[in-house]
PDB file of all heavy atoms in Angstrom:
ATOM      1  N   HIS A 583      -4.216  17.876  13.934  1.00 98.00           N
ATOM      2  CA  HIS A 583      -4.135  18.877  14.808  1.00 98.00           C
ATOM      3  C   HIS A 583      -3.028  18.455  15.706  1.00 98.00           C
ATOM      4  O   HIS A 583      -3.370  18.033  16.866  1.00 98.00           O
ATOM      5  CB  HIS A 583      -5.387  19.303  15.473  1.00 98.00           C
ATOM      6  CG  HIS A 583      -5.538  20.659  15.994  1.00 98.00           C
ATOM      7  ND1 HIS A 583      -4.433  21.425  16.527  1.00 98.00           N
ATOM      8  CD2 HIS A 583      -6.518  21.572  16.233  1.00 98.00           C
ATOM      9  CE1 HIS A 583      -4.725  22.559  16.823  1.00 98.00           C
ATOM     10  NE2 HIS A 583      -6.101  22.698  16.660  1.00 98.00           N
ATOM     11  N   THR A 617       0.551  21.913  16.168  1.00 98.00           N
ATOM     12  CA  THR A 617      -0.549  22.876  16.212  1.00 98.00           C
ATOM     13  C   THR A 617      -0.996  23.189  17.553  1.00 98.00           C
ATOM     14  O   THR A 617      -1.758  24.205  17.788  1.00 98.00           O
ATOM     15  CB  THR A 617      -1.612  22.560  15.285  1.00 98.00           C
ATOM     16  OG1 THR A 617      -2.003  21.155  15.349  1.00 98.00           O
ATOM     17  CG2 THR A 617      -1.273  22.807  13.776  1.00 98.00           C
ATOM     18  N   ARG A 618      -0.808  22.303  18.581  1.00 98.00           N
ATOM     19  CA  ARG A 618      -1.274  22.632  19.874  1.00 98.00           C
ATOM     20  C   ARG A 618       0.058  22.288  20.818  1.00 98.00           C
ATOM     21  O   ARG A 618       0.486  21.203  20.816  1.00 98.00           O
ATOM     22  CB  ARG A 618      -2.240  21.576  20.415  1.00 98.00           C
ATOM     23  CG  ARG A 618      -3.587  21.682  19.618  1.00 98.00           C
ATOM     24  CD  ARG A 618      -4.490  20.630  19.936  1.00 98.00           C
ATOM     25  NE  ARG A 618      -4.193  19.345  19.459  1.00 98.00           N
ATOM     26  CZ  ARG A 618      -4.556  18.239  19.942  1.00 98.00           C
ATOM     27  NH1 ARG A 618      -5.063  18.148  21.261  1.00 98.00           N
ATOM     28  NH2 ARG A 618      -4.338  16.960  19.292  1.00 98.00           N
ATOM     29  N   PHE A 619       0.504  23.253  21.584  1.00 98.00           N
ATOM     30  CA  PHE A 619       1.662  23.074  22.389  1.00 98.00           C
ATOM     31  C   PHE A 619       1.363  23.044  23.918  1.00 98.00           C
ATOM     32  O   PHE A 619       0.779  24.125  24.325  1.00 98.00           O
ATOM     33  CB  PHE A 619       2.604  24.172  22.093  1.00 98.00           C
ATOM     34  CG  PHE A 619       3.070  24.395  20.657  1.00 98.00           C
ATOM     35  CD1 PHE A 619       2.369  24.824  19.638  1.00 98.00           C
ATOM     36  CD2 PHE A 619       4.262  23.888  20.188  1.00 98.00           C
ATOM     37  CE1 PHE A 619       2.664  24.952  18.254  1.00 98.00           C
ATOM     38  CE2 PHE A 619       4.671  23.941  18.908  1.00 98.00           C
ATOM     39  CZ  PHE A 619       3.841  24.521  17.901  1.00 98.00           C
ATOM     40  N   TYR A 620       1.639  21.898  24.370  1.00 98.00           N
ATOM     41  CA  TYR A 620       1.412  21.715  25.807  1.00 98.00           C
ATOM     42  C   TYR A 620       2.803  21.647  26.607  1.00 98.00           C
ATOM     43  O   TYR A 620       3.505  20.743  26.104  1.00 98.00           O
ATOM     44  CB  TYR A 620       0.688  20.497  26.120  1.00 98.00           C
ATOM     45  CG  TYR A 620      -0.632  20.383  25.365  1.00 98.00           C
ATOM     46  CD1 TYR A 620      -0.805  19.681  24.178  1.00 98.00           C
ATOM     47  CD2 TYR A 620      -1.853  20.939  25.911  1.00 98.00           C
ATOM     48  CE1 TYR A 620      -2.156  19.520  23.523  1.00 98.00           C
ATOM     49  CE2 TYR A 620      -3.057  20.862  25.404  1.00 98.00           C
ATOM     50  CZ  TYR A 620      -3.200  20.087  24.154  1.00 98.00           C
ATOM     51  OH  TYR A 620      -4.475  20.014  23.427  1.00 98.00           O
ATOM     52  N   ILE A 700      -5.129  30.445  26.466  1.00 97.00           N
ATOM     53  CA  ILE A 700      -6.266  30.201  25.697  1.00 97.00           C
ATOM     54  C   ILE A 700      -6.820  28.826  26.147  1.00 97.00           C
ATOM     55  O   ILE A 700      -6.135  27.890  26.474  1.00 97.00           O
ATOM     56  CB  ILE A 700      -5.728  30.017  24.232  1.00 97.00           C
ATOM     57  CG1 ILE A 700      -6.787  29.801  23.105  1.00 97.00           C
ATOM     58  CG2 ILE A 700      -4.605  28.913  23.924  1.00 97.00           C
ATOM     59  CD1 ILE A 700      -7.393  31.087  22.755  1.00 97.00           C
ATOM     60  N   PRO A 701      -8.186  28.903  26.373  1.00 97.00           N
ATOM     61  CA  PRO A 701      -8.806  27.578  26.909  1.00 97.00           C
ATOM     62  C   PRO A 701      -8.855  26.382  25.819  1.00 97.00           C
ATOM     63  O   PRO A 701      -8.738  26.636  24.589  1.00 97.00           O
ATOM     64  CB  PRO A 701     -10.305  28.029  27.201  1.00 97.00           C
ATOM     65  CG  PRO A 701     -10.446  29.229  26.235  1.00 97.00           C
ATOM     66  CD  PRO A 701      -9.123  29.884  26.123  1.00 97.00           C
ATOM     67  N   ASP A 702      -8.773  25.239  26.340  1.00 97.00           N
ATOM     68  CA  ASP A 702      -8.804  24.036  25.409  1.00 97.00           C
ATOM     69  C   ASP A 702      -9.846  23.916  24.491  1.00 97.00           C
ATOM     70  O   ASP A 702      -9.804  23.308  23.436  1.00 97.00           O
ATOM     71  CB  ASP A 702      -8.715  22.789  26.311  1.00 97.00           C
ATOM     72  CG  ASP A 702      -7.358  22.419  26.740  1.00 97.00           C
ATOM     73  OD1 ASP A 702      -6.402  23.282  26.486  1.00 97.00           O
ATOM     74  OD2 ASP A 702      -7.109  21.374  27.257  1.00 97.00           O
ATOM     75  N   ASP A 703     -11.077  24.622  24.738  1.00 96.00           N
ATOM     76  CA  ASP A 703     -12.179  24.521  23.873  1.00 96.00           C
ATOM     77  C   ASP A 703     -12.368  25.649  22.913  1.00 96.00           C
ATOM     78  O   ASP A 703     -13.330  25.758  22.144  1.00 96.00           O
ATOM     79  CB  ASP A 703     -13.573  24.351  24.575  1.00 96.00           C
ATOM     80  CG  ASP A 703     -13.769  25.458  25.521  1.00 96.00           C
ATOM     81  OD1 ASP A 703     -13.004  26.462  25.603  1.00 96.00           O
ATOM     82  OD2 ASP A 703     -14.902  25.521  26.020  1.00 96.00           O
ATOM     83  N   SER A 704     -11.179  26.491  22.873  1.00 97.00           N
ATOM     84  CA  SER A 704     -11.286  27.638  21.844  1.00 97.00           C
ATOM     85  C   SER A 704     -11.092  26.968  20.420  1.00 97.00           C
ATOM     86  O   SER A 704     -10.655  25.874  20.196  1.00 97.00           O
ATOM     87  CB  SER A 704     -10.184  28.609  22.160  1.00 97.00           C
ATOM     88  OG  SER A 704      -8.950  27.864  22.092  1.00 97.00           O
ATOM     89  N   LYS A 705     -11.347  27.855  19.397  1.00 98.00           N
ATOM     90  CA  LYS A 705     -11.333  27.406  18.005  1.00 98.00           C
ATOM     91  C   LYS A 705      -9.941  26.916  17.628  1.00 98.00           C
ATOM     92  O   LYS A 705      -9.811  25.862  17.020  1.00 98.00           O
ATOM     93  CB  LYS A 705     -11.759  28.555  17.156  1.00 98.00           C
ATOM     94  CG  LYS A 705     -11.967  28.276  15.610  1.00 98.00           C
ATOM     95  CD  LYS A 705     -12.550  29.661  15.102  1.00 98.00           C
ATOM     96  CE  LYS A 705     -12.284  29.799  13.555  1.00 98.00           C
ATOM     97  NZ  LYS A 705     -13.168  28.946  12.740  1.00 98.00           N
ATOM     98  N   ILE A 706      -8.886  27.747  18.013  1.00 98.00           N
ATOM     99  CA  ILE A 706      -7.616  27.333  17.603  1.00 98.00           C
ATOM    100  C   ILE A 706      -7.088  26.028  18.251  1.00 98.00           C
ATOM    101  O   ILE A 706      -6.193  25.253  17.747  1.00 98.00           O
ATOM    102  CB  ILE A 706      -6.489  28.471  18.006  1.00 98.00           C
ATOM    103  CG1 ILE A 706      -5.071  28.217  17.563  1.00 98.00           C
ATOM    104  CG2 ILE A 706      -6.613  28.854  19.441  1.00 98.00           C
ATOM    105  CD1 ILE A 706      -4.820  28.346  16.131  1.00 98.00           C
ATOM    106  N   MET A 707      -7.623  25.647  19.433  1.00 98.00           N
ATOM    107  CA  MET A 707      -7.255  24.451  19.914  1.00 98.00           C
ATOM    108  C   MET A 707      -7.979  23.188  19.589  1.00 98.00           C
ATOM    109  O   MET A 707      -7.669  22.090  19.948  1.00 98.00           O
ATOM    110  CB  MET A 707      -7.364  24.545  21.578  1.00 98.00           C
ATOM    111  CG  MET A 707      -6.374  25.527  22.267  1.00 98.00           C
ATOM    112  SD  MET A 707      -4.642  24.978  22.048  1.00 98.00           S
ATOM    113  CE  MET A 707      -4.473  23.881  23.323  1.00 98.00           C
ATOM    114  N   THR A 708      -9.021  23.455  18.786  1.00 98.00           N
ATOM    115  CA  THR A 708      -9.931  22.295  18.399  1.00 98.00           C
ATOM    116  C   THR A 708     -10.011  22.123  16.860  1.00 98.00           C
ATOM    117  O   THR A 708     -10.301  21.031  16.450  1.00 98.00           O
ATOM    118  CB  THR A 708     -11.269  22.499  18.967  1.00 98.00           C
ATOM    119  OG1 THR A 708     -11.780  23.858  18.611  1.00 98.00           O
ATOM    120  CG2 THR A 708     -11.336  22.368  20.496  1.00 98.00           C
ATOM    121  N   GLU A 709      -9.793  23.135  16.119  1.00 98.00           N
ATOM    122  CA  GLU A 709      -9.877  23.087  14.650  1.00 98.00           C
ATOM    123  C   GLU A 709      -8.477  23.189  14.010  1.00 98.00           C
ATOM    124  O   GLU A 709      -7.698  24.157  14.506  1.00 98.00           O
ATOM    125  CB  GLU A 709     -10.809  24.268  14.062  1.00 98.00           C
ATOM    126  CG  GLU A 709     -12.271  24.016  14.403  1.00 98.00           C
ATOM    127  CD  GLU A 709     -13.103  25.200  13.940  1.00 98.00           C
ATOM    128  OE1 GLU A 709     -12.781  25.821  12.830  1.00 98.00           O
ATOM    129  OE2 GLU A 709     -14.119  25.464  14.629  1.00 98.00           O
ATOM    130  N   PRO A 717      -0.569  28.107  19.492  1.00 98.00           N
ATOM    131  CA  PRO A 717      -1.153  28.285  20.835  1.00 98.00           C
ATOM    132  C   PRO A 717      -0.323  27.488  21.693  1.00 98.00           C
ATOM    133  O   PRO A 717      -0.123  26.168  21.544  1.00 98.00           O
ATOM    134  CB  PRO A 717      -2.592  27.774  20.616  1.00 98.00           C
ATOM    135  CG  PRO A 717      -2.552  26.810  19.477  1.00 98.00           C
ATOM    136  CD  PRO A 717      -1.497  26.966  18.632  1.00 98.00           C
ATOM    137  N   ILE A 718       0.071  28.136  22.722  1.00 98.00           N
ATOM    138  CA  ILE A 718       0.980  27.382  23.862  1.00 98.00           C
ATOM    139  C   ILE A 718       0.257  27.431  25.155  1.00 98.00           C
ATOM    140  O   ILE A 718      -0.064  28.579  25.669  1.00 98.00           O
ATOM    141  CB  ILE A 718       2.280  27.983  23.856  1.00 98.00           C
ATOM    142  CG1 ILE A 718       2.962  28.327  22.452  1.00 98.00           C
ATOM    143  CG2 ILE A 718       3.208  27.205  24.753  1.00 98.00           C
ATOM    144  CD1 ILE A 718       4.264  28.845  22.388  1.00 98.00           C
ATOM    145  N   VAL A 719      -0.031  26.288  25.701  1.00 98.00           N
ATOM    146  CA  VAL A 719      -0.626  26.253  27.106  1.00 98.00           C
ATOM    147  C   VAL A 719       0.096  25.406  27.961  1.00 98.00           C
ATOM    148  O   VAL A 719       0.880  24.658  27.622  1.00 98.00           O
ATOM    149  CB  VAL A 719      -2.073  25.754  26.981  1.00 98.00           C
ATOM    150  CG1 VAL A 719      -2.987  26.653  26.171  1.00 98.00           C
ATOM    151  CG2 VAL A 719      -2.035  24.336  26.247  1.00 98.00           C
ATOM    152  N   ARG A 730      -5.486  15.158  27.248  1.00 98.00           N
ATOM    153  CA  ARG A 730      -5.850  16.394  26.344  1.00 98.00           C
ATOM    154  C   ARG A 730      -5.285  16.319  24.869  1.00 98.00           C
ATOM    155  O   ARG A 730      -6.042  16.626  23.985  1.00 98.00           O
ATOM    156  CB  ARG A 730      -5.162  17.711  27.014  1.00 98.00           C
ATOM    157  CG  ARG A 730      -5.865  18.157  28.379  1.00 98.00           C
ATOM    158  CD  ARG A 730      -5.016  19.006  29.209  1.00 98.00           C
ATOM    159  NE  ARG A 730      -5.063  20.474  28.626  1.00 98.00           N
ATOM    160  CZ  ARG A 730      -4.273  21.433  29.184  1.00 98.00           C
ATOM    161  NH1 ARG A 730      -3.434  21.133  30.157  1.00 98.00           N
ATOM    162  NH2 ARG A 730      -4.379  22.625  28.629  1.00 98.00           N
ATOM    163  N   LEU A 734      -9.195  15.264  20.676  1.00 98.00           N
ATOM    164  CA  LEU A 734      -9.766  15.757  19.467  1.00 98.00           C
ATOM    165  C   LEU A 734     -10.026  14.509  18.535  1.00 98.00           C
ATOM    166  O   LEU A 734      -9.499  13.559  18.771  1.00 98.00           O
ATOM    167  CB  LEU A 734      -8.850  16.780  18.719  1.00 98.00           C
ATOM    168  CG  LEU A 734      -8.461  17.919  19.592  1.00 98.00           C
ATOM    169  CD1 LEU A 734      -7.740  19.006  18.564  1.00 98.00           C
ATOM    170  CD2 LEU A 734      -9.818  18.732  19.952  1.00 98.00           C
TER     171      LEU A 734
END
Side-chain angles (χ1 to χ4, degrees):
H583 203 329
T617 44
R618 298 177 276 152
F619 298 79
Y620 302 97
I700 185 87
D702 276 5
D703 61 354
S704 60
K705 190 171 154 79
I706 181 72
M707 291 296 280
T708 51
E709 291 177 29
I718 311 180
V719 294
R730 286 166 80 185
L734 298 188

